[in-house]
Amino acid sequence: MARSRSELLTVPEVLNELGGVSRRTFYRWRELRIAPRCIRLPNGELRVRRDALDDWLQDRAEGAV
């Protein structure tokens, strides 16, 4: 199944995509404003757009010099 770049991911899905980063670490990153941009839904839950996560990961990629 092809993933849409506007797909909304739940926090557990993001943690899984990041290789099992802990929920505590993710929320700490949010406090430090270094986590991927999130959307807070009216029910208080967070979502991360697929494209925002992909861009965030790309920004952190280290290339060979």
Side-chain angles (χ1 to χ4, degrees):
M1 178 169 107
R3 294 187 271 192
S4 167
R5 285 193 44 84
S6 62
E7 173 186 16
L8 294 178
L9 302 171
T10 64
V11 171
E13 289 172 329
V14 171
L15 300 178
N16 188 51
E17 292 258 340
L18 296 176
V21 168
S22 74
R23 180 178 287 269
R24 180 169 187 214
T25 296
F26 180 79
Y27 281 98
R28 179 69 178 145
W29 288 348
R30 283 190 37 85
E31 288 174 14
L32 297 172
R33 299 186 182 272
I34 59 174
R37 283 189 71 166
C38 296
I39 298 168
R40 184 170 301 280
L41 300 177
N43 65 1
E45 292 183 11
L46 295 176
R47 295 292 186 271
V48 178
R49 286 190 189 275
R50 160 68 56 198
D51 57 351
L53 179 60
D54 291 345
D55 292 345
W56 182 82
L57 287 169
Q58 184 62 40
D59 289 347
R60 277 142 190 83
E62 294 183 8
V65 179

